[in-house]
Amino acid sequence: MTDTAPTTDTERVTVPVPTADATVAERDRVVARVREHAGRLARELARLQGGDYGRRTFRVDGGEWTLKYEAGDLDFLRFEGRSGLDVYVVSQKTDPDAADLATAMDHYEAFAEAFDAHVDSLRGVLDGVPETFPDVATTGEVAAERDRIVSRMHDAADRMAAELHRVEPTEYGTFGTTVAGTRWELKREADRASYVRAGGEGGVYLVSQYAPPSPGDVRTYAPEFRGFVEAFNEELAELGDALDGVEL
């Protein structure tokens, strides 16, 4: 008698395994068509809202559609149904479930109509907006006067820096004092002024290597600059007095 190998469970299964190829292909076809159509909507919405990044939600009878765009292109299209369905019909990360997609697509035409209604609602919104405007006043005179005053302050600050460098010939140095309750500071590089600042840390740079102060700041602090220079002169005078009587 010949021994026969036992039949395995796998060998007993003869039912063919169904594939999802047809469903997946149909889903991908629908998503591709929606991506192309909604992508055009996204570009129009970006033009309308005036930016490369944004989103807008459109309400329809069956729920809400949210369209989001980045750099003017479609980022995602999401449908949130009143029945609790929440599906990203178009996404950069995942494909939708076929059944959820089918339910959402029942409301897609309403979404397109809502988009059209939104665009139509803005037609004529700019009617009557004036196209001519008053002449723009020039700041030339104000800026020139500001620059003239700042230039004189800069010249004085450079002379102060040069005197400081003669007394203390280091590469960098500072001179600070308080005038009428305001802290003033001059910073130098060798014999040239790097900046003059009023108000301490976070204060106003009246002399700077970068940008000039505003006319308002000049108006506020320029009168006190005289006191800053006078305080500097007094300190130099005291330094001279300290050397009086020294004999070698």
Side-chain angles (χ1 to χ4, degrees), residues 23 25 28 61 79 83 86 109 118 144 158 163 166 180 200-201 205 217 229 234:
T23 301
D28 292 348
D61 288 343
F79 178 69
S83 61
D86 188 351
E109 184 174 350
H118 173 63
D158 280 341
E163 295 299 331
R166 289 176 63 191
E201 292 291 335
Y205 288 83
D217 287 336
V229 176
E234 289 175 3

Side-chain angles (χ1 to χ4, degrees), residues 9-184:
D9 291 341
T10 302
E11 291 173 338
R12 292 194 187 99
V13 177
T14 59
V15 179
V17 176
T19 68
D21 291 350
T23 301
V24 170
E26 179 64 12
R27 180 204 59 197
D28 292 348
R29 183 185 69 81
V30 172
V31 169
R33 290 178 60 188
V34 174
R35 186 186 299 276
E36 191 276 333
H37 182 265
R40 297 204 307 270
L41 299 183
R43 287 187 287 276
E44 293 301 321
L45 187 62
R47 292 178 59 200
L48 190 60
Q49 297 192 166
D52 289 336
Y53 300 88
R55 68 169 68 196
R56 187 172 184 86
T57 296
F58 300 86
R59 293 179 175 82
V60 299
D61 288 343
E64 294 182 347
W65 288 88
T66 299
L67 183 152
K68 182 175 182 291
Y69 56 90
E70 291 190 1
D73 291 327
L74 178 66
D75 183 47
F76 70 71
L77 179 64
R78 179 183 184 183
F79 178 69
E80 297 173 89
R82 301 193 186 284
S83 61
L85 175 66
D86 188 351
V87 55
Y88 286 83
V89 175
V90 176
S91 170
Q92 303 293 341
K93 299 178 181 179
T94 184
D95 293 318
D97 175 80
D100 291 344
L101 174 63
T103 301
M105 291 307 296
D106 288 339
H107 306 279
Y108 189 83
E109 184 174 350
F111 161 60
E113 292 173 352
F115 184 93
D116 290 345
H118 173 63
V119 174
D120 288 341
S121 71
L122 297 175
R123 298 187 190 279
V125 70
L126 297 177
D127 291 351
V129 173
E131 298 180 6
T132 59
F133 306 97
D135 292 336
V136 177
T138 178
T139 60
E141 291 184 6
V142 175
E145 182 65 8
R146 183 269 316 275
D147 293 345
R148 184 185 68 81
I149 296 172
V150 170
S151 177
R152 295 182 64 181
M153 295 170 67
H154 204 154
D155 289 344
D158 280 341
R159 293 197 300 272
M160 294 165 69
E163 295 299 331
L164 288 172
H165 188 249
R166 289 176 63 191
V167 174
E168 188 178 331
T170 56
E171 187 66 20
Y172 301 98
T174 60
F175 168 76
T177 189
T178 299
V179 179
T182 299
R183 182 65 181 175
W184 287 74

Side-chain angles (χ1 to χ4, degrees), residues 143 146-147 150-151 153-154 194-197 203-215 217-218:
R146 183 269 316 275
D147 293 345
V150 170
S151 177
M153 295 170 67
H154 204 154
S194 177
Y195 68 72
V196 173
R197 183 178 64 200
V204 174
Y205 288 83
L206 295 164
V207 172
S208 170
Q209 297 175 339
Y210 302 103
S214 70
D217 287 336
V218 173

